Amino acid sequence: MTPVSSHAPHGQSSLRTVQVLGGGNAGSSAHVRSLASGLVARGVRVTVCAPVEADQLYDFTGAGADHVHVPRSSDPGSVAALRAACADADLVHAHGLHASFRAVLALSGRRTPLVVTWHDRAHAEGARAHLVRLLERRVVKAASVVLGTTSALVDRARRTGARDARLAAVAMPGPLRAVEHDDPDRLRPKVRAELGATGRPLLIAVGSLERHRGYDVLLDASRGWLRLDPVPLVVIAGEGTQRAELQRRIEDEELPVRLIGRRDDVSELLAAADVALLPSSWESRSVLAQEALHARVPLVATEVGGVPELVGDAAELVPYGDAKALADAVVRLLDDPERQELLRERGVRQTATWPTEDETVAQVLSVYDELTQPRYVI
């Protein structure tokens, strides 16, 4: 029998992989898009199983992959669709906890190798937190290899029972819309005027309006900026379950904060910002942190999860939940142009240490080869 090769030389069939995505966050979706493109370029056949909306946004088919619509739910219909898509796969690679759990169900009774990438920690409380722990145990015990995007996630996978957990190389996700072709001197005042930040500092936060993002703490901190002249404007891009609660506080307390909803022009928003803010209770490889450093925008972030590992000394780090520390860090940074420039320079150096797309694909491909290449017994 001719061995399968991921590099597909003449006369051999290419490795067939299925990438399973649950709809996921921007980081995992962009990662799968980048991975699909790199794998296809190296002769690997790739099928991406994801909700149709994800393909519309990230264009997996444009990267050369096949796309199969699999709804985000774990109902029998979704699992059956995924099982059919994985029927002749040499290897399945699932991204995120819920996608991984669906893959475990779909591969039940088969010997197909399963690689799992944890891009982030599932956020849950109470009874749901117990369910998440059960799902994590089920997934890591079924996975051949668990890849974690931060050291903390690798440690969590090992504690949960993973037989093989490794740190994943993950390239910075490409922005949905690049600004390199725009004139920054023209773009910046235009965006600032649209946001209502002409003649005042502009602070940008991006992420879903959910409790773990720490926007309640950010609103507390914004009260400390009311005494400044001019008063900075905080703009939060994102949607989520906390929108009504946050909007009510903004209006009742007359806070200098605007909620602008989900946006596809984050690169433009960052290019116009004086400071980027990341007040979360947990982050892994934060997309905002990566884009801020890449765009040379000073970042103030909470010292949680994978953030210190990701940004190094290229950001101002504060404890989570400490509104005064967050407020003071921003004030100091706005008053210190030399510190801002130092962070910009450090940001450029830090981004150069992050894995490239080629390095990311090479690592994943080496894992695939390890799990699928025939082992000859002498």
Side-chain angles (χ1 to χ4, degrees), residues 317-340:
L317 298 179
V318 298
Y320 167 70
D322 190 334
K324 186 178 186 304
L326 176 60
D328 290 349
V330 169
V331 171
R332 285 196 304 272
L333 197 53
L334 291 176
D335 286 343
D336 192 345
E338 290 185 3
R339 178 68 178 172
Q340 294 174 35

Side-chain angles (χ1 to χ4, degrees), residues 40-350:
V40 168
R42 289 162 177 77
V44 179
R45 295 162 58 206
V46 178
T47 297
V48 178
C49 293
V52 67
E53 302 82 19
D55 186 49
Q56 290 169 348
L57 186 56
Y58 291 92
D59 192 22
F60 304 119
T61 50
D66 294 324
H67 172 252
V68 175
H69 170 61
V70 176
R72 184 176 167 80
S73 67
S74 296
D75 62 60
S78 296
V79 173
L82 183 55
R83 186 173 178 83
C86 296
D88 61 345
D90 297 304
L91 179 142
V92 174
H93 188 166
H95 301 263
L97 177 60
H98 297 288
S100 302
F101 180 65
R102 281 195 291 283
V104 170
L105 296 177
L107 294 176
S108 178
R110 295 179 179 172
R111 300 184 66 182
T112 310
L114 173 64
V115 177
V116 166
T117 295
W118 279 2
H119 294 267
D120 204 348
R121 192 182 72 183
H123 302 280
E125 299 174 358
R128 181 167 166 74
H130 178 65
L131 174 61
V132 164
R133 286 193 294 272
L134 292 176
L135 293 182
E136 287 178 342
R137 280 200 289 272
R138 176 81 181 272
V139 165
V140 300
K141 288 180 179 178
S144 304
V145 174
V146 178
L147 299 173
T149 59
T150 68
S151 299
L153 289 172
V154 173
D155 291 342
R156 185 181 180 89
R158 288 172 179 158
R159 289 196 308 270
T160 308
R163 57 188 132 161
D164 188 341
R166 313 176 191 181
L167 185 64
V170 179
M172 175 185 166
L176 295 182
R177 287 172 59 190
V179 298
E180 283 82 356
H181 302 301
D182 290 298
D183 178 358
D185 293 333
R186 179 191 61 80
L187 179 70
R188 183 179 169 89
K190 178 174 179 289
V191 174
R192 292 174 72 95
E194 290 172 354
L195 295 173
T198 300
R200 61 194 297 198
L202 176 61
L203 315 179
I204 293 286
V206 180
S208 59
L209 305 185
E210 303 297 340
R211 194 163 301 281
H212 71 272
R213 296 292 183 186
Y215 292 138
D216 54 339
V217 181
L218 177 54
L219 264 55
D220 291 342
S222 74
R223 284 203 297 263
W225 301 325
L226 288 169
R227 59 184 170 80
L228 302 181
D229 184 20
V231 177
L233 174 65
V234 181
V235 171
I236 303 175
E239 281 295 352
T241 59
Q242 278 205 301
R243 183 181 182 105
E245 178 183 337
L246 294 171
Q247 187 62 51
R248 186 163 52 249
R249 276 198 61 189
I250 291 167
E251 294 171 1
D252 290 349
E253 300 173 36
E254 298 182 344
L255 300 176
V257 181
R258 281 192 61 194
L259 306 180
I260 60 172
R262 188 178 288 110
R263 300 284 289 248
D264 65 356
D265 59 347
V266 171
S267 296
E268 286 92 334
L269 295 177
L270 280 173
D274 295 293
V275 175
L277 303 173
L278 186 68
S280 308
S281 64
W282 170 269
E283 291 283 348
S284 53
R285 290 187 71 86
S286 162
V287 175
L288 175 67
Q290 293 176 74
E291 291 194 341
L293 267 59
H294 183 70
R296 304 184 81 249
V297 177
L299 172 69
V300 178
T302 44
E303 194 171 4
V304 298
V307 173
E309 185 177 13
L310 178 66
V311 303
D313 63 357
E316 298 286 359
L317 298 179
V318 298
Y320 167 70
D322 190 334
K324 186 178 186 304
L326 176 60
D328 290 349
V330 169
V331 171
R332 285 196 304 272
L333 197 53
L334 291 176
D335 286 343
D336 192 345
E338 290 185 3
R339 178 68 178 172
Q340 294 174 35
E341 187 56 33
L342 177 63
L343 290 180
R344 292 187 188 101
E345 293 172 0
R346 288 178 176 177
V348 171
R349 289 201 301 269
Q350 186 68 12

Side-chain angles (χ1 to χ4, degrees), residues 5-8 14-20 31-48 63-65 91-93 95 115 357-369:
S5 170
S6 57
H7 307 292
S14 63
L15 183 72
R16 175 159 188 261
T17 69
V18 173
Q19 306 288 323
V20 185
H31 174 66
V32 169
R33 207 294 181 179
S34 171
L35 201 55
S37 179
L39 291 172
V40 168
R42 289 162 177 77
V44 179
R45 295 162 58 206
V46 178
T47 297
V48 178
L91 179 142
V92 174
H93 188 166
H95 301 263
V115 177
E357 287 189 297
D358 280 347
E359 290 167 345
T360 299
V361 174
Q363 185 209 34
V364 167
L365 201 50
S366 72
V367 172
Y368 291 0
D369 283 346

